[in-house]
Amino acid sequence: MTAFRLASLRTALLLTVLTIASLLGLGPALAAGPPVGLGEVPVLSAPNAYGPGIWHHAKAGKTWYGSYRTFPDTWAYCIDAGKKSPLSKHFPGAEAERITSPRTAWALHEYADSDSKDVQAALSAMARLDRALPHDHQVPPQKPADLGEKFAGAAKQHSTILAKAKKYAGPYTLDINLEPVLQMPVLEPYAAAESASSPDSEKSDTDKGKILGTPTDEATLTISLTSASGAQVPDIPITLSTDGAQDSPKTLTTGDEPVTTTLQASAPGTLSVTASAKVAPEAVRLFEPTKGTRVQRVITPDSPAEVTDEAALELSSQPKVTTEISDQTPAPGTAVTDEFTVSGLIGDHTVTVEHTLWQTATQPKLGTQNDDARAIGSVTSRDVGNGTHTSGEITVPEDFRGWLYFTETIAGDKSTKEWRGIHGQPRETGFVPWTPKADTEAVLEGTSTHDEVAVTGLRPGSEAVLTVTAYHSTTEPEQSSEPQGEELSAQDYTVVADADGRAEISTEPIDMPLGWVTYVTAIAGSDVNEAWTSDWGVPAETVHRPPEEKPSTPPAPPEKPEEPSTPPNPPEQPSTPPEEPEAPEQPEGMQPPAAEPVAETPAAPAAPAELPRTGTTGNGVLIGLGIVLVGLGTTVLLITGRRREER
């Protein structure tokens, strides 16, 4: 009986002490916790053993959803719910075992440093529920969502962290890529059509139809960091190490899409990039207690993992030359140069440019070397880099007529892609026109005139339009460049030059007025022949028709006729004058007209003296003599009649 009373007193005393301790706040949750030995017992003597978290009272006992201060430099999370708290004194010399569990490892890597009790409770739940880890639970683990209102915040964090872990957890793939920056083709071609030396010429059937450009001295660096789910992992710093590039970045940060940057090569050769990044580990560290019994095992975040990748690209200078001839209408005998601009060389790379001046009598076609094209001469520009330069001079031949143009060549090597300029570039081309002229001769035939024209110096086979204009002048022309006088006619002719550049015409005759007519010949200019016009008043092109003049001496007498042997007898003279005819009766009232006196006997005319011959014939002399005699007789009759009246 005495023994029973002593036992009851001891039990009552123990309960009293525990009750007083709970009321004084000496334990984190004894007042509401299960009896000693059921679940995890809070360690009253080590208040710094727990990090942020929440106690949970389960039927099987009390358990802590949160982090532990088992180790001084990182948080620990128990994986055996309901066992003794993992105090640091239970883990002296403990060595970690790495357990692969990417999602839990990612969650601890990202959130273990949080001061939030909800976040730490969510991490604790993930550790206890992770099937990749070994467990010896005394209190069944539960999701925060199943732990009541007190775990509402932890439930939200648990859902969020778990979703992100599924998306962003490793293993990770870091992929970097280098691609040359291409220069797209231009509308005006300055490179030869695809040739064997072009890297774009050897392309597979799958590449046909693509628009391929020319590589430059730049390359595009693309960086992609993906998780096990294939998602791009953002906000991860990428460390870059480059070789063969100038002013390249040292770091880049990943995003929700692959990130890119442009690198510029410092010299022809290999451009290489090495990239590395620190990422979440794929494993957690598991620690077994080295002292004590029934102590929880814990896990901690593992050290970050490192992923790397590298890429390299061979870059050579891809030169391009654009040019312009110094004079597009050079005169024969003058010098021309090639004004050229080089681009596409990497860094300070320099090259040698060969310039060739070509001539052709037929108009060049872009990209085609004419059959009659031949080189006039060549010059060399050495050690030229990117930029604009001027070549040496090449002299145009004195007898040259036609087209001339430059082409450029840059030899290829391991650092340089070959460049060959094409024939017939418009800005590289100059033209020396043919210079025709005409030799003319004006012709006078009676009262008409025409012009004979011979043209030389035309481009063989070309057409030319000639205009021959006739001008009339009353005074002798003096040669001048400006036409004068009155325009009589203008005749147009189209001629075709023969193989020697010659053509001839004869104009239509025109009436020749008195005075001077001079011709002016004009050759119309064309795309191949220069215009030409002769002077006015050129002697060979001028004819003269003087006015008709009266003869200054009588015409020459005809030959003298034969004289008769005896002179002809003079006509017999009447012995008596003829009787006067009776006058007709006059009507009354009218007086008869007075009769003219008639000589009684006309004197016989004397024989005419022989006149000197002036070119008239003998018959003319006789006729003239008869006329004189008749006149003389008439005169005598008139005188005689007058005398009778006087009487």
Side-chain angles (χ1 to χ4, degrees), residues 427-517:
R427 292 192 299 184
E428 291 180 332
T429 302
F431 177 65
V432 179
W434 277 261
T435 53
K437 64 179 181 178
D439 293 325
T440 67
E441 182 178 0
V443 179
L444 176 64
E445 294 179 341
T447 59
S448 66
T449 179
H450 70 277
D451 200 17
E452 302 287 344
V453 183
V455 182
T456 58
L458 291 169
R459 180 194 171 207
S462 67
E463 287 188 351
V465 177
L466 310 183
T467 300
V468 182
T469 306
Y471 294 90
H472 174 246
S473 174
T474 58
T475 59
E476 185 175 359
E478 292 185 5
Q479 185 172 338
S480 68
S481 59
E482 294 295 329
Q484 301 174 23
E486 177 188 0
E487 181 179 323
L488 294 180
S489 73
Q491 301 180 35
D492 293 332
Y493 297 89
T494 299
V495 299
V496 178
D498 62 15
D500 296 325
R502 296 178 54 86
E504 297 182 356
I505 62 165
S506 179
T507 65
E508 294 293 329
I510 61 172
D511 291 336
M512 176 68 191
L514 297 178
W516 285 265
V517 170

Side-chain angles (χ1 to χ4, degrees), residues 197-222:
S197 62
S198 171
D200 298 334
S201 61
E202 300 177 0
K203 48 194 175 194
S204 64
D205 293 338
T206 58
D207 290 333
K208 291 181 179 179
K210 292 182 179 179
I211 299 177
L212 299 178
T214 302
T216 64
D217 62 347
E218 295 181 333
T220 299
L221 172 65
T222 303

Side-chain angles (χ1 to χ4, degrees), residues 545-576:
R545 181 185 175 190
E548 296 182 358
E549 296 181 359
K550 294 181 180 180
S552 58
T553 58
E559 294 181 2
K560 183 178 180 180
E562 294 182 1
E563 295 184 359
S565 59
T566 58
N569 294 325
E572 294 182 359
Q573 298 295 329
S575 60
T576 59

Side-chain angles (χ1 to χ4, degrees), residues 217 317-319 342-347 349-351 384-386 410 416:
D217 62 347
S317 289
Q318 306 283 326
V342 178
S343 60
L345 300 179
I346 297 177
H349 187 202
T350 61
V351 293
V384 294
N386 291 328
I410 299 175
T416 311

